[in-house]
Amino acid sequence: MHRQELIHPLDFTFYPILAAFGIPVNLLAIAILSHGKCGLTKCITYYLVSMALGDLLVIITDVILYKIVYYYFRSSFFDTTAMCRLIIVLYASSQDCSVWLTVAFTFDRFVAICCQQLKTKYCTEKTAARVITVVCAIFCLKCIPWYFAFGPRYVIDNVQWDCILTQQFSTSKAWAAFAWSHRIFTPLLPFGFILLFNILTVKNILMASKVRRGLRGCNNGDNHNDPEIANRKKSIILLFTISGSFILLWTTYLVYFLHVRITNAFYHTSFNDPLFKAQQAGSMLQLLSSCTNTSIYAITQAKFRKEVRDAVKYLFIRISKLIKCKNS
């Protein structure tokens, strides 16, 4: 949670490309899902739109304001200590919200698939809106202390520049507890919850499918004509691809974090340091997870693909009309 002393040349290429790709795809997802023509319930749509918005904020605050501005626009207004501290709070908040909204979506789908009695009360648009609001409020408040954990790296003409963790942060037990709690909440607990809910969901699906095949007399395993099982398969594809993508892209970062905390190897001296490479890879993959959900929707949802095609056609038609108007 501090400015990196080592900047790999790859960073200067990767993060601008990530921003150039991440912003339009998340905006596209928000626009299409908000339109409500993807065949999804309003409950699911609320979660997916909020997740896309959270991912978009991660790209803006972490990739653009925290990394690209720091790499390309040194000594700008954004590099003052006050702005640096504010950006840290904003990107920590957006990251936490994005991660925990994924957990909330996973739990909602777990309830919908495995808890039929609770489903009618919990899996509603009102509950989804409340959960999203509470999650965002809690984690925005949780990240405010980061503003006071940093001080100026240097002072020029009475102007404070850049950020560095204060001496008190390094020596205070209270700050140490806060730092640990921050990492426990993101990503340790989300990682565990998503794995747990998916395991329980798979177990429930396997048991329900076995019982249903028995009731239908399909002991040979031929259940392709069972509409209930077909619908259930479609409903879990979206869940497993989103949560699976999250687990896959966050694993490197999680392993790096646990290794560093256990060995106290916080500092790296060169680009060839294996820990530095692991840190860079973990950070890049973690941020890449903020751009993958739109691709997942396109792969798993036929109606979403149709909406994307229609949007692209509409865009080309508008551009061609503008060009014709200018030429005339």
Side-chain angles (χ1 to χ4, degrees):
M1 185 62 70
H2 55 81
R3 298 274 182 169
Q4 300 175 12
E5 296 294 338
L6 295 176
I7 301 176
H8 196 278
L10 180 61
D11 295 346
F12 290 92
T13 303
F14 176 79
Y15 291 113
I17 293 175
L18 184 65
F21 177 75
I23 289 180
V25 298
N26 280 303
L27 287 174
L28 179 66
I30 293 170
I32 291 177
L33 291 169
S34 299
H35 205 49
K37 293 186 177 181
C38 295
L40 302 171
T41 65
K42 288 187 177 180
C43 176
I44 296 177
T45 300
Y46 279 16
Y47 281 112
L48 297 184
V49 170
S50 66
M51 289 161 60
L53 182 57
D55 290 341
L56 177 64
L57 292 176
V58 170
I59 297 295
I60 293 173
T61 57
D62 195 347
V63 177
I64 296 179
L65 295 181
Y66 190 70
K67 289 186 169 64
I68 294 178
V69 170
Y70 180 72
Y71 295 161
Y72 286 92
F73 305 99
R74 297 293 290 153
S75 301
S76 68
F77 167 72
F78 291 99
D79 217 27
T80 60
T81 300
M83 284 302 300
C84 176
R85 292 157 78 183
L86 179 60
I87 290 170
I88 288 173
V89 172
L90 291 175
Y91 96 65
S93 302
S94 59
Q95 186 183 83
D96 281 6
C97 290
S98 176
V99 169
W100 279 93
L101 287 171
T102 304
V103 176
F105 170 73
T106 305
F107 179 73
D108 178 87
R109 293 300 86 201
F110 163 74
V111 172
I113 295 171
C114 303
C115 309
Q116 295 302 311
Q117 293 182 346
L118 183 59
K119 175 182 177 180
T120 55
K121 294 182 179 180
Y122 185 83
C123 300
T124 65
E125 54 186 291
K126 289 184 178 180
T127 301
R130 290 170 183 168
V131 170
I132 292 167
T133 302
V134 170
V135 166
C136 293
I138 289 175
F139 286 98
C140 285
L141 291 173
K142 166 187 165 292
C143 292
I144 290 177
W146 280 118
Y147 186 89
F148 305 99
F150 288 83
R153 184 181 292 272
Y154 48 89
V155 178
I156 300 177
D157 295 332
N158 294 323
V159 178
Q160 297 179 340
W161 293 96
D162 216 338
C163 291
I164 190 171
L165 289 169
T166 63
Q167 184 66 30
Q168 186 181 8
F169 183 91
S170 304
T171 57
S172 170
K173 292 183 179 180
W175 276 118
F178 171 76
W180 262 105
S181 68
H182 179 76
R183 289 309 177 195
I184 288 173
F185 275 101
T186 306
L188 290 176
L189 282 180
F191 207 89
F193 279 138
I194 290 174
L195 279 176
L196 175 63
F197 294 142
N198 281 336
I199 290 171
L200 293 175
T201 301
V202 170
K203 181 180 178 181
N204 180 275
I205 290 170
L206 292 176
M207 292 177 62
S209 298
K210 183 177 180 180
V211 171
R212 191 168 182 83
R213 284 198 302 268
L215 292 174
R216 290 174 59 88
C218 299
N219 293 324
N220 60 355
D222 184 14
N223 58 6
H224 64 276
N225 292 322
D226 187 342
E228 178 65 24
I229 291 181
N231 290 334
R232 179 165 290 191
K233 285 181 178 179
K234 291 179 181 179
S235 68
I236 65 174
I237 286 174
L238 184 62
L239 167 65
F240 287 167
T241 49
I242 289 177
S243 55
S245 171
F246 173 85
I247 291 172
L248 180 65
L249 294 175
W250 275 80
T251 296
T252 302
Y253 176 85
L254 181 63
V255 172
Y256 166 80
F257 165 75
L258 292 175
H259 176 81
V260 166
R261 290 295 172 177
I262 292 171
T263 61
N264 291 321
F266 292 100
Y267 300 101
H268 318 120
T269 57
S270 70
F271 295 144
N272 295 322
D273 189 331
L275 282 180
F276 176 77
K277 293 180 180 179
Q279 180 195 41
Q280 293 295 93
S283 178
M284 290 178 177
L285 290 173
Q286 166 211 327
L287 290 171
L288 184 61
S289 68
S290 299
C291 305
T292 55
N293 283 350
T294 303
S295 300
I296 290 172
Y297 306 150
I299 293 171
T300 61
Q301 304 293 313
K303 290 185 177 180
F304 185 89
R305 291 196 297 272
K306 181 180 180 301
E307 289 294 311
V308 172
R309 288 194 297 269
D310 291 344
V312 172
K313 289 179 182 177
Y314 176 78
L315 181 63
F316 275 110
I317 291 172
R318 295 296 298 176
I319 292 174
S320 63
K321 287 184 177 180
L322 289 174
I323 293 174
K324 289 179 180 179
C325 289
K326 288 183 178 181
N327 292 335
S328 61

